[in-house]
């Protein structure tokens, strides 16, 4: 099912009190504003605060406001010191998990096959994977960005059955736009999202491609959210820096709601 999603990736930021305050502020905003039916809001707090943040989401918002991990491991339990099973995320009330964020690929050497396993295990645990893909600047400059991102999907997702693939959310995040203040232009985002839908249609079918939720990530903020979210193949954003403050994050939610209503 294709949704409109505003997701916040808090990365390794905030302390416990700030994390709770931010969750509370977003919860309060959602309690006082009607979102369009297909809009969902997700936060990805740091692991130690996850369970606490889940508890600050009121019952009334529980169908719109979800929490996700930033990563998970490939096993359900066992002697894997320091790792988190997808089942554990599910157990504490998470519904989502980020898989393959470019920072995991870069700093923790996560490769296609490991990510494919993480996707499988997250699905098995009943979580919705938000699978991140995107190219480095040199790949964009060489003009091979579409082939690069297609390979990321084909290596880590295209082993899935159609039924399982339809549970995946994709986040296209050009690495050169992450945390840099440089955003992909709405046309660049649209072109890549449309290209991704074509690859998905080729692998599965047109319906599956049309029903896939594809988010844009990389310096998305209130000033550029409307131009990005108005693109026909952009279903929302995975927001880093601008998700750390309630006013900018809720402003982006407001923009998304407005975009959906004028579509
Ligand atoms: P940014 O991060 O919005 O700070 O660029 C996005 C992300 O890494 O998910």
């Amino acid at each position: 099912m294709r949704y409109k999603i505003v997701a916040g990736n808090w990365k390794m930021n905030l302390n416990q009190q700030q994390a709770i305050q931010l969750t509370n502020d977003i919860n309060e905003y959602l309690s006082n504003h009607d979102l369009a039916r297909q809009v969902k809001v997700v936060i990805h707090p740091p692991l130690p605060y996850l369970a606490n943040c889940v508890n600050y989401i009121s019952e009334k918002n529980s169908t719109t406001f979800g929490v996700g991990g930033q990563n998970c491991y490939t096993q359900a339990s066992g002697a894997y010191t320091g790792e988190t099973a997808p089942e554990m995320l599910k157990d504490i009330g998470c519904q989502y998990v980020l898989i393959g964020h470019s920072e995991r690929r870069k700093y923790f050497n996560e490769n296609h096959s490991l990510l494919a396993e993480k996707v499988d295990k997250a699905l098995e645990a009943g979580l919705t994977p938000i699978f991140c893909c995107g190219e480095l600047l040199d790949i964009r400059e060489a003009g091979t960005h579409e082939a690069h991102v297609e390979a990321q999907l084909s290596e880590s997702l295209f082993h899935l059955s159609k039924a399982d693939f339809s549970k995946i959310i994709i986040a296209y995040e050009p690495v050169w736009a992450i945390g840099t203040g440089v955003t992909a232009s709405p046309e660049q985002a649209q072109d890549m999202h449309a290209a991704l839908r074509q690859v998905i249609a080729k692998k599965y079918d047109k319906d599956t491609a049309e029903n896939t939720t594809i988010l844009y990530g990389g310096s998305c903020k209130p000033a550029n959210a409307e131009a990005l979210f108005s693109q026909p193949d952009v279903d929302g954003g995975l927001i880093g820096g601008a998700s750390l403050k309630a006013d900018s994050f809720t402003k982006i939610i407001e923009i998304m709601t407005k975009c959906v209503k004028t579509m």
Side-chain angles (χ1 to χ4, degrees):
M1 166 99 186
R2 188 161 162 187
Y3 289 104
K4 299 290 176 186
I5 297 181
V6 179
N9 175 11
W10 297 0
K11 309 191 181 187
M12 200 173 74
N13 291 301
L14 309 180
N15 62 31
Q16 176 163 236
Q17 195 264 329
Q18 291 165 332
I20 289 170
Q21 185 65 49
L22 182 52
T23 311
N24 220 0
D25 290 347
I26 300 166
N27 187 64
E28 202 164 298
Y29 173 86
L30 295 174
S31 300
N32 295 323
H33 295 80
D34 278 336
L35 298 191
R37 192 173 42 87
Q38 66 270 51
V39 177
K40 301 220 176 276
V41 174
V42 183
I43 52 170
H44 295 271
L47 184 66
Y49 312 141
L50 268 178
N52 228 336
C53 291
V54 169
N55 290 333
Y56 281 82
I57 295 179
S58 56
E59 186 61 35
K60 179 174 174 276
N61 292 329
S62 61
T63 53
T64 6
F65 190 10
V67 177
Q70 297 177 10
N71 178 36
C72 68
Y73 194 48
T74 59
Q75 305 294 325
S77 64
Y80 303 102
T81 302
E83 290 298 329
T84 307
E87 282 76 3
M88 293 171 176
L89 295 178
K90 181 80 183 168
D91 191 28
I92 59 164
C94 288
Q95 292 150 276
Y96 303 86
V97 62
L98 295 179
I99 293 182
H101 190 278
S102 62
E103 286 145 22
R104 303 286 323 164
R105 294 177 192 257
K106 177 177 175 190
Y107 299 120
F108 304 96
N109 300 318
E110 297 198 356
N111 60 27
H112 296 320
S113 58
L114 177 74
L115 298 177
E117 265 190 85
K118 290 190 175 195
V119 165
D120 289 346
K121 299 299 175 182
L123 285 171
E124 255 174 61
L127 294 171
T128 298
I130 301 181
F131 181 81
C132 305
C133 56
E135 80 284 356
L136 295 164
L137 186 58
D138 57 338
I139 295 174
R140 166 67 61 168
E141 285 173 347
T144 52
H145 44 288
E146 286 187 8
H148 179 84
V149 174
E150 286 169 24
Q152 289 178 324
L153 260 63
S154 103
E155 297 288 330
S156 301
L157 296 180
F158 284 176
H159 63 287
L160 296 172
S161 67
K162 193 162 82 176
D164 277 344
F165 183 84
S166 64
K167 298 174 188 155
I168 305 282
I169 292 169
I170 292 173
Y172 167 58
E173 301 202 298
V175 182
W176 47 271
I178 295 179
T180 57
V182 181
T183 321
S185 69
E187 295 73 28
Q188 285 172 320
Q190 168 57 25
D191 285 351
M192 180 61 87
H193 286 221
L196 289 176
R197 277 193 216 285
Q198 273 180 19
V199 194
I200 297 166
K202 205 163 106 206
K203 167 67 190 169
Y204 296 98
D205 53 40
K206 199 158 181 298
D207 262 13
T208 309
E210 280 307 311
N211 285 322
T212 304
T213 304
I214 309 181
L215 311 179
Y216 167 80
S219 298
C220 183
K221 46 185 180 265
N224 57 30
E226 184 168 355
L228 288 161
F229 297 169
S230 316
Q231 300 301 313
D233 286 300
V234 177
D235 298 316
L238 178 55
I239 328 285
S243 72
L244 294 172
K245 293 237 160 65
D247 56 353
S248 49
F249 192 63
T250 55
K251 183 75 197 160
I252 295 172
I253 300 171
E254 185 189 317
I255 292 167
M256 170 52 88
T257 309
K258 189 177 140 208
C259 288
V260 169
K261 285 183 176 155
T262 53
M263 256 168 199

